[in-house]
Amino acid sequence: MTVPAIELIGISKAFGPVQANKDISIRVMPGTIHGIIGENGAGKSTLMSILYGFYKADSGEVFIHGKKARITDSHSAIAAGIGMVFQHFKLVDNFTVLENVILGAEDGAPLRPSLAKARRILTELEREYELHVDPDALISDLGVGKQQRVEILKALYRQAEVLILDEPTGVLTPSEADQLFRILARLREEGKTIIFITHKLREIMEITDTVSVMRRGEMTATVRTEDTSPEQLAELMVGRKVLLRVTKTPARPGPPVLAVEDLRVTDSTGVERLKGVSFTVHAGEVLGIAGVTGNGQSELLEVLGGMQLATGLISLHGQPLDISGKYANGRARRNDGIGHVPEDRQRRGLILEFTAWENMAFGYHHDPAYQTNRLLMNNAAMRRDTAAQMGRFDVRPPDPDLLARNFSGGNQQKLVVAREIERNPDVLLIGQPTRGVDIGAIEFIHQQIIALRDMGKAILLVSVELDEIMALSDRIAVMCDGQIMGERLPDASDETELGLMMAGVKGKAA
Amino acid sequence: MQKMPAWADAVLVPLISLLLAAILSALVIIGIGENPVAAFRLMVDGALMRSAGWGYTLYYATNFMFTGLAVAVAFHARMFNIGGEGQAMLGGLGVALACLYIPWPHWSVSLIGTTLAAMLFGAAWALIPAWLQAKRGSHIVITTIMFNFIAATLLNYLLVNVLRPKGAMDPATARFPEATNLPTFRDMFSTADNVLFRGTPANVSFFIAVLACVLVWLLIWRTRLGYEIRAFGRSEPAALYAGISPARITMIALMISGALAGLMAVNTTQGEAERLILNSTEGAGFIGIAVALMGRSHPLGVFLAAILFGFLYQGGAELALWTTIPRELIIVIQALVILFTGALDNMVRMPLERLFLALRRKES
C-alpha cells in the first residue's frame, strides 16, 4: 500500500472558547485531488493554515510521505514540499512574473543568476504542466486567471509536491475555471497531490477523487467522490436536508418600475466603466445581471444606490431621479423606495465595529421613529426593532448588542437583508446576495428574495454566481466590459451561451 | 468574540502602561543619582496633597480636557487633528478681541461671549484644513500642522504690530477689563478664615471643561450627528452607502474639534493671564493627542487622562523647583507616559489578551 502524501492525525485547534478544529484526521494519497468542503467557519482554512505553518495545532500530528513533520512556519512547510495558493493572491503588482516567482527564494544578493535560473525552470514547468505565462509580463497587466497560474508556478518553483488551493475559483469566469481544472488534472497526472478547498458542490463533483466534509470544526465524513452526490454532501455540510433548487412560481410582471437609459460612468482614472447601459425592471420580477467580477456591475449598483455619479437617465415609476447631485444621495434613494443590499457587506453594508442594533438603523437613521426629540436618538427603539427583525430573519445569535464583526458571514448578510427588506422598498438592489454565506443561509436568503418578488416588488439581482442567477432570475441580462451583451430568459438559455456572453461574445438576438 | 473583558481594556491596559512608564522613569532618576521614591513623593505632595497643588493640577487639566476632547472627536471620524495648538491660539485671539472690544457688564455674561468667540475662532481655524481635506483631499495631518505655524506667526504679527498697547515692551495685549476677570477657585471656595487654592490659576473654566466632556459624550453616542461621525470614522465606503456625505462629516467633525481646542483659551487667556500673550498654549494642543489616546477617545477617559497629565505637569514643576532633577527630565518622564500609553499600546494589550484567552480556556 502506498504511503499517504499527507496524513493528519487528531488535529485540534482552539481560538479562545471557539474550537475551530476538533480531533481531525485525514489521509491524502499521492497523485490525487482531495476536496475539502464545508460552510464558512467550518474550519477548513484553519486546518490548512495549520498544515502551512500559520497556526500551531493545540494537539495532533502531521505526517508527510510517512515521516512525522514539525511544521512551525511557512518556511518549514515549503521545505516539506507544501505549496499554498491563497484565495487572495500574494503577488507584487508592479513586479514581473519572474520577479514574483523568485521573491523570497532568491539564491543570493545578486538577482541576475536567480532570475536566469528561474527563467530556465519556468520554461520547463511550462512545458511539463502546460502553464503558459509570459515570464516578463507585469502582474498588473495579467488577468486573474493568469495571476493564479503565477501563484501555482511559485509553488512549483519551490518544488511543492502537495498543492493547497483555497477557494481558487471564486474570482474566475467559468472558462477560466475550466482551464484551472485542466491544469489541476495535468498536475495530478504528473504525480502531484492537490488539496482543493471550496464551498461549491459542483466543483467537488467535477474535479476531486476524494472529498472530506467539515462542519463546525469537525470532519463529518470522507468519501470517494464517485460514491456520493451533491445532495448527500450538502446534507453532510449543513447537518440537515437542504433544498438546492429554489422553488418558485412563474413571475407575473406588472408595470415597469425602474428604468435605466444610456447610463455611463467614467472613473477617476478616465476609464469608462459603464458604456451606455439600458434596461427596465418590472414590478414582481427579478432581473438578474450576470457577468464576471469587474465588468461594470459594481459601478451599476453604486450609481443606482446613489454612491456614484453618472450620466444618463434613471427613472422610478416614470419619474427621473437626480443622479447629478454633488455627493452621496443614498439617503434620497432610500426615501424614493430603493433598498440596496450591497455587494460587499463588510465594507459597505455594515459597520463591523457597530453593534447589530446600530447597524439595523444604518442608512435609515433619519427615521423619525428613531429620534427621541430633535437632538437625541432613540436607542431603545432601535434595539427593540432590531430584536424583532433578528427574530423574523432568524439571525443567530439574536443579540442586538453584539458587534456586527462577531456574527458569521451568513448572519451578517441576514442582518443586511433584513434591514433592507423590512423597509418594504419598491425596488431592491441586491448584489452578490450569498457571497461567503453558508448553504443554510443561502436557502433562506433566496426564499426571501422570491417572497419579495411575489409581493410585487422589482428586484435587480447582480451576482457572479451563474447558478444563482439562473435559479432566481425571471430575466437575465449579461454584462461584459461595461455593456449589456444581451437579455435572455433562463429557460431559453444555458450556461454555455451565458458564459460566452460573459466573455464578450455577442449573443444572437433573443 | 470578545478578546478580553471591557474593564480590562479600559482600566487594566492604561494602568499597566503607566506602571511601565513609571518604572522606566524611576530607572532614569536612579541613573542621575536621585531617589525615585522621594521624587515621586515630592510630585504627589506638590500636585495633589495641598489645595494649592490642586489649583495648578486642575488648571493644566482643564487645558488638556479641551484639547484632548478636540483630538478625540476628530479620532471618532478617523481624522488626526494635530492642529489643536493653532486652533487654541486663534481661540485666544477670539477671547482677547471679545474681552477688549465689548464692554461686558459682568464676568458671567462675558464668559458666555468669550466661550462663543473661542469656539468660533477655533472652528474657523480648523475650517480651512477641513475644507482642503473634504474637497481637495489634502491630508489634514499635514495641513493642520502647517496651520499651527501660520497661527503662531499670525499671532506674533498681531501682538507685536496691532494689539500691543502703545509704549508696552512685551508682545501682548493690554490687560482685559476687570469685569471680564473670571472667578478663580480661590474666590469660589475660600472662606474668611480658611484660604484655599492660594495663588493658583484654576478657575471657573474647569467646569466648562467638565460640561464639555458631558456634551461630547452626548454628541458622540446619543445624537444622529455623532452616529454619522462614528460611522464615517469606521468605514467611509459604508458611510457613502448609507447616504452620509463624507465631505460634510469631515467639515463638521473638524470644526467641532477646532471649537473644542479653541475653548482652551478661555482658561489660559481669560482665566489665567487676563491678557493675550505669545505662546499662551504652551504645547497643550499636542498633549491633547496623548490625552485622547490614553483616554481611548472617550470623554470619561479624556477627563481622567487630563487630570493625570495635569498632575505630571504640576508634579514636574515641583521636582524642578526642589531637586536637582533638571526640567528636561520632567519632559522625559512625560514623554515616557505618552510613549507607553499612546504609541506602545499594543505592547501591553497583546500579552494581556493572550493571558485572558488562556484564563478563559482553563475555565471552560
Side-chain angles (χ1 to χ4, degrees), chain B residues 24-274:
Chain B
L24 214 58
S25 305
L27 290 177
V28 174
I29 292 173
I30 292 170
I32 61 167
E34 288 273 349
N35 180 351
V37 179
F40 183 68
R41 193 171 292 153
L42 192 64
M43 283 178 78
V44 173
D45 197 47
L48 303 178
M49 298 312 286
R50 282 167 288 133
S51 71
W54 274 106
Y56 276 98
T57 300
L58 291 182
Y59 166 74
Y60 293 126
T62 305
N63 290 340
F64 302 150
M65 267 177 229
F66 284 127
T67 53
L69 288 175
V71 177
V73 167
F75 270 162
H76 279 291
R78 193 172 294 163
M79 287 189 291
F80 201 173
N81 177 16
I82 350 189
E85 196 76 1
Q87 289 141 15
M89 281 184 203
L90 264 285
L93 181 65
V95 169
L97 295 178
C99 286
L100 288 169
Y101 296 104
I102 301 175
W104 299 103
H106 187 259
W107 68 264
S108 56
V109 194
S110 82
L111 184 58
I112 297 170
T114 52
T115 300
L116 291 176
M119 289 172 68
L120 190 72
F121 275 63
W125 201 245
L127 174 68
I128 308 167
W131 184 85
L132 286 170
Q133 165 86 57
K135 299 291 179 188
R136 317 292 312 173
S138 317
H139 206 289
I140 54 151
V141 167
I142 309 291
T143 47
T144 51
I145 207 162
M146 300 288 238
F147 266 67
N148 286 342
F149 291 109
I150 302 174
T153 331
L154 178 69
L155 276 209
N156 202 337
Y157 170 80
L158 288 176
L159 287 177
V160 171
N161 297 299
V162 182
L163 294 169
R164 181 168 53 101
K166 273 206 169 56
M169 296 292 284
D170 56 340
T173 63
R175 286 212 161 272
F176 298 158
E178 193 106 349
T180 66
N181 294 355
L182 297 179
T184 62
F185 276 20
R186 178 183 175 163
D187 302 335
M188 285 185 284
F189 298 111
S190 296
T191 52
D193 40 76
N194 185 15
V195 178
L196 289 173
F197 299 103
R198 187 194 300 272
T200 63
N203 60 75
V204 70
S205 15
F206 172 76
F207 299 105
I208 298 184
V210 175
L211 182 67
C213 288
V214 176
L215 290 179
V216 166
W217 181 80
L218 279 173
L219 168 77
I220 296 293
W221 277 283
R222 284 294 179 272
T223 69
R224 192 164 60 204
L225 178 62
Y227 179 87
E228 294 194 336
I229 287 176
R230 283 184 296 132
F232 171 75
R234 275 156 179 144
S235 169
E236 187 173 339
L240 204 58
Y241 158 79
I244 298 167
S245 158
R248 180 173 160 268
I249 295 297
T250 301
M251 303 269 287
I252 293 180
L254 262 182
M255 283 173 67
I256 293 174
S257 176
L260 284 164
L263 273 176
M264 179 195 135
V266 176
N267 187 39
T268 54
T269 304
Q270 188 181 9
E272 200 256 344
E274 294 174 352

Side-chain angles (χ1 to χ4, degrees), chain A residues 340 358 365 377 406 420, chain B residues 1 222 227-228 230 241:
Chain A
H340 183 184
E358 284 173 307
H365 52 280
M377 292 188 91
N406 296 330
E420 300 302 320
Chain B
M1 183 185 65
R222 284 294 179 272
Y227 179 87
E228 294 194 336
R230 283 184 296 132
Y241 158 79

Side-chain angles (χ1 to χ4, degrees), chain A residues 180-198:
Chain A
L180 173 70
F181 287 170
R182 275 203 295 278
I183 291 169
L184 295 184
R186 178 85 195 177
L187 287 165
R188 171 171 55 186
E189 273 171 39
E190 299 292 329
K192 304 280 183 193
T193 309
I194 291 160
I195 300 180
F196 188 94
I197 304 169
T198 186

